[in-house]
Amino acid sequence: MAKLTRRGFIGTAAAAATLRGVGVTAAKPQFRRILTLVYDKGLGMMRAVEKVVPL
């Protein structure tokens, strides 16, 4: 597994979110995605937790 720094992880997550959101810009989404970064002691690194909530 690649060692990611916090800055690298945030950059990777932002790039993935941008690519995913490109197709959604035409229609207004009915849900809001909330991305939270948490430190996972088992992995020893940061990981993303994504929640989908209605507007």
Side-chain angles (χ1 to χ4, degrees):
M1 182 180 288
K3 290 228 174 197
L4 289 176
T5 62
R6 184 178 296 168
R7 182 179 294 169
F9 180 81
I10 292 172
T12 303
T18 301
L19 288 175
R20 183 177 59 203
V22 168
V24 182
T25 57
K28 186 174 181 182
Q30 297 292 325
F31 297 96
R32 175 180 290 163
R33 286 188 158 94
I34 299 174
L35 183 67
T36 307
L37 297 175
V38 294
Y39 184 77
D40 190 340
K41 290 182 182 178
L43 292 174
M45 59 188 274
M46 301 290 287
R47 69 180 180 95
V49 176
E50 185 177 24
K51 273 198 308 189
V52 179
V53 296
L55 288 177

